[in-house]
Structure formats: C-alpha cells, structure tokens
Amino acid sequence: MNLLITGVTIADPNSQFNQQKCDVRIEHGKITAVESKLGTLTATKGETIFDGSGSVLSPGFFDLNCAIGDPGIETKEDIYTATAAAAAGGFTGLAVLPHTKPVVQSKGEIAYIINKAKGNLVDVLPVGAVSQDLEGKELAEMYDMKLAGAVAFSDGTKAISDDGFMSRALQYAKGLNGLLMVYPENKSIAGKSQINESKNSVLLGMKGLPALAEEMHISRDIFLATYHDAPVHISNISTAGSVALIKKAKKDGVKITCDVAAHQLVFTEELLNDFDSNYKVKPPLRGKTDIKALISGLKDGTIDAVSSQHRPHEIEFKDVEFEIAAYGIIALQTVLPLLLKAGLDAGQIAEKLSVNPRTLLGLAVPVIEKDAEANFTLYNATEEWLYNSENNFSKSANSPLLNKKLTGKVKLVYNNKQLQSYG
C-alpha cells in the first residue's frame, strides 16, 4: 500500500528531520519522500492520504520484555494475539521470553517461534533460556540458539541465584557475543513476599519484598560483569537504590544496561490497599521516592529502555485472593499512555521505546529518512480513548486499566510492508 502522511511531527533522534513537522510518503514498503515544507507533497493515483496533524511519527516501538504462552500455554497468549496487542500499542517488534512449555532452550524452539511469526507486521524475536529448564544449574544450548536466531538470553522471571553459575553464564555469553538479560532478586531475602516492604505492607499485614533483595542481586551482577569484562542487562528495575547502583557502575565503565517496566513509572504501592490482584506485579509496586528516581534515571540516561513487562494470565490465576494470585499484567497496549502520564516527551519515548531497545540487542534501528525501510508508529499524545474488552487484543484481561479512559492513542503502525490503522 502506498501512503502519504501529512502534517506529522517527527520524533527520531537519528533523523535529520527530528522535531520537524513534515509530510512523509511511503511506497512499496519504503519511505520515498520526507518534506519539511508542509503541503508540497501531493497525492498520487492510488495513494492513501492520512492527516497526521497533531500526531507524532516515531520509529516503531520495540519491547525488550514480553511474555507469551506460545509454545505450550496458548490459553494465556499466542503469537497472533500477542502481535495484535503489540501493534495496537505501537510496537513493531517484540523480544519474547523463554518461560513457556516447553522452555525455549534449544534451536528447535527458536525455529518454531521464528517460523510461526513469519509474515507478521510485528517482528517476533525469541530470547533463549540461560539455563536448562530455567533451573539455574546447567547452561542451555546458547550457541545453537544464537545460530538459530536468538537475540539474547534470559531465564525470564526467574532470578539466577547461584553465583558460580551466573559467573559461568557471563563468560560463555561473552564468547558468543551474546547478551544476558537477568531478573534481579535475591531469593533468600525475598522469600514468599507479596508486596513492597514498607509501612504499607505492615498496614496490610502482608510480607514485604525489601528493595535490598533487588539491590543486592544487582550489586552481585555488577561485580561479576566487572570481573569478566562482560555485558549484562538488568530487566525491570524498580528501586531508587537500583538506579544509584547502575548509575555508579556505568560511570565506572561497567558494561551494564537496564530497563524499567512502564507501570513502575506511574503506579504506587498505595493502589494495593483494596487488594486488587491486577496490581500484583513483580517486582512489586514501590513508593513515590522510587518512581521519582526511576523517571530521573530515564531522563539522565541511567535507564536505557522502557519495557512492557507483558504478563498475560487466564482469569483463574487473577480472580482469586491476593496472596495466591499470579504476578503480572497485560501491558502492550498501555505502555504509551503510561509513559505520557509519567511526563516523558516524544523524543524520550522514541529513544527509550524505539532506538535503545534495538541497539541493546544489536538490531537494525528504523529511521525516518528518505530511502529507508518504513517501520514506524504514528500516535496522538493528547487523544483520549477507552480501553475495554472490545479493543483489548490480548487473549487475557488482567489489566487494572481496562474500562478506563487513557490519554495517548496509536493511530497507525507500519512494518514489513504492512499497515494497520486504529482510527
């Protein structure tokens, strides 16, 4: 489909047209013209025109931390529903985690995901397991998985507790030029905690997860990354102390990167006072001081990227007592509204949600320039919309934002010569 988008503001730090109002033409999957003198591009025969006045054109969003149930647990989410939700949220690429059944731990599972996702508007890139069966004891077939197309390695939501194993995994991944993406939690300190350790956890009578559990784990990984001169990526940090540790490590030259889940920038632990299990996430929702530090860390470059931390669950895992409810929320369609609510501007969103995630994985970064392959998201940062069962494209419904008005609406996504419009 040939397309002419008029009057958009481009948000792309790698484009010469960054922060300019432009008309953009797409023909046969390529950007064939970008004109900053508005109105100079006129429609050609058979070309669809979209009025982008008041909207932002960004390189397509990419998610570093998405869980789906495919293969094996498709009742939670399959590749087709995940990509439908992703596109509606502005994502044209997903890195999907390996905690499925079977675990993605060999070239066979990698090939399955790549082949099933072929031809989709949304690129689906598998992350292979670090350890066999995610047990943190023996290395998975990382070399074979990388050759088959794994973009990184992770044990998903399971923290790697054994220090010696983590040391060996870092060494091995370094030899493959591979990246470990690790979840930070000291299990012996975390125990069977449910929510953030604070006055609020005492008030609610629930075991709290101290910030110390996350920060001790990050400290260990900083020491190991320094010792081996190997890169490590910390997924979903949530505390002010974590931001401080990573900021210092970066200053000291450690090869460390990190991301934060979008909901950690807006939701606070006080939302748990009604025991709504849709707010039960891990790491848990923290306090206002942590949120302030996380947003500051994003803006000063300490935090490299924002992720969805999309965790779909069937109703029987969430519509139960808080203590036994599963952790996680569906999030692919709500990342943009949350980032806007957190105060990020269009340039920061493009950097943290489009450019940096791909750079971390060594992927080609889309750019809004003439002759570039078209891969973009068009959104209106001020438009309100109601998120409900009719426009929720996920197979699951475990989101505290369902049936609420959100600000920031995706209008178009384009990738792999495919266009999707959302009005």
Side-chain angles (χ1 to χ4, degrees):
M1 173 186 284
N2 295 340
L3 179 68
L4 177 62
I5 306 174
T6 62
V8 297
T9 298
I10 292 177
D12 180 0
N14 296 324
S15 172
Q16 64 174 309
F17 299 101
N18 188 36
Q19 299 183 7
Q20 296 183 34
K21 286 189 176 181
C22 297
D23 297 340
V24 180
R25 169 168 282 137
I26 298 93
E27 298 177 283
H28 308 295
K30 280 199 169 185
I31 298 173
T32 57
V34 183
E35 180 55 70
S36 59
K37 296 178 182 178
L38 295 178
T40 58
L41 295 183
T42 55
T44 59
K45 187 176 180 181
E47 189 171 57
T48 300
I49 304 176
F50 189 92
D51 182 4
S53 301
S55 295
V56 174
L57 190 70
S58 163
F61 301 159
F62 188 97
D63 188 29
L64 277 174
N65 196 280
C66 176
I68 59 175
D70 204 350
I73 328 173
E74 289 88 351
T75 51
K76 295 182 184 293
E77 195 87 278
D78 59 41
I79 285 176
Y80 305 118
T81 56
T83 52
F91 291 94
T92 60
L94 300 174
V96 295
L97 297 175
H99 51 281
T100 49
K101 292 183 179 179
V103 172
V104 179
Q105 58 187 358
S106 72
K107 62 183 179 182
E109 291 90 26
I110 297 292
Y112 166 85
I113 292 171
I114 290 173
N115 289 331
K116 190 168 183 179
K118 273 183 180 176
N120 204 294
L121 183 152
V122 179
D123 301 318
V124 180
L125 306 177
V127 175
V130 177
S131 67
Q132 292 183 23
D133 297 322
L134 310 179
E135 293 178 346
K137 296 178 180 178
E138 296 184 32
L139 289 172
E141 299 172 8
M142 295 166 68
Y143 177 71
D144 286 347
M145 287 191 285
K146 185 169 176 62
L147 291 181
V151 293
F153 302 98
S154 171
D155 274 358
T157 54
K158 289 193 174 183
I160 297 174
S161 297
D162 189 290
D163 301 338
F165 177 83
M166 181 62 183
S167 179
R168 293 189 295 275
L170 275 173
Q171 285 180 285
Y172 193 71
K174 180 183 178 182
L176 303 177
N177 194 28
L179 178 66
L180 294 192
M181 302 199 303
V182 296
Y183 176 69
E185 181 184 272
N186 184 303
K187 292 181 182 177
S188 63
I189 290 177
K192 295 181 179 180
S193 55
Q194 297 284 323
I195 62 177
N196 182 45
E197 183 182 81
S198 66
K199 292 179 180 178
N200 203 53
S201 63
V202 175
L203 177 67
L204 298 178
M206 303 183 71
K207 180 171 173 53
L209 176 62
L212 180 67
E214 178 174 307
E215 293 157 14
M216 281 185 67
H217 208 270
I218 290 173
S219 296
R220 181 206 68 175
D221 290 342
I222 289 171
F223 275 114
L224 290 174
T226 303
Y227 182 73
H228 294 298
D229 190 29
V232 65
H233 179 84
I234 311 297
S235 297
N236 304 137
I237 70 169
S238 67
T239 75
S242 296
V243 176
L245 283 167
I246 293 169
K247 185 173 186 176
K248 182 180 184 303
K250 285 189 170 188
K251 186 177 179 181
D252 292 341
V254 181
K255 296 175 180 176
I256 187 169
T257 52
C258 65
D259 67 76
V260 61
H263 56 257
Q264 296 285 3
L265 304 173
V266 176
F267 298 161
T268 64
E269 59 183 337
E270 286 78 18
L271 292 168
L272 299 171
N273 291 349
D274 293 330
F275 297 100
D276 183 349
S277 63
N278 281 322
Y279 286 109
K280 186 179 180 180
V281 293
K282 203 168 190 181
L285 301 180
R286 305 287 189 179
K288 293 178 182 177
T289 301
D290 296 299
I291 285 182
K292 184 177 179 181
L294 291 167
I295 293 173
S296 177
L298 273 172
K299 292 181 177 180
D300 70 17
T302 300
I303 301 175
D304 300 272
V306 173
S307 65
S308 74
Q309 205 188 23
H310 182 72
R311 301 289 187 268
H313 291 295
E314 302 92 335
I315 189 170
E316 59 265 30
F317 288 91
K318 276 294 191 178
D319 192 16
V320 292
E321 293 85 355
F322 191 91
E323 282 95 347
I324 62 173
Y327 293 99
I329 62 176
I330 55 168
L332 288 167
Q333 289 180 241
T334 56
V335 170
L336 176 64
L338 289 178
L339 293 190
L340 291 167
K341 191 171 183 178
L344 272 67
D345 62 30
Q348 291 162 342
I349 291 171
E351 179 187 0
K352 305 298 182 180
L353 211 52
S354 302
V355 176
N356 288 2
R358 290 182 173 91
T359 302
L360 287 170
L361 297 179
L363 303 174
V365 178
V367 62
I368 311 298
E369 291 277 9
K370 184 181 177 183
D371 297 327
E373 293 291 329
N375 181 340
F376 61 76
T377 298
L378 181 75
Y379 66 89
N380 188 306
T382 59
E383 184 173 339
E384 290 187 343
W385 60 288
L386 179 66
Y387 182 36
N388 58 28
S389 59
E390 293 181 6
N391 56 28
N392 172 34
F393 292 96
S394 173
K395 191 174 283 189
S396 296
N398 53 302
S399 170
L401 294 175
L402 275 170
N403 301 313
K404 293 186 178 179
K405 270 193 175 181
L406 305 177
T407 301
K409 190 174 191 306
V410 172
K411 308 294 287 184
L412 298 175
V413 285
Y414 193 104
N415 187 32
N416 296 327
K417 299 181 180 179
Q418 297 175 58
L419 172 70
Q420 185 66 52
S421 171
Y422 298 97

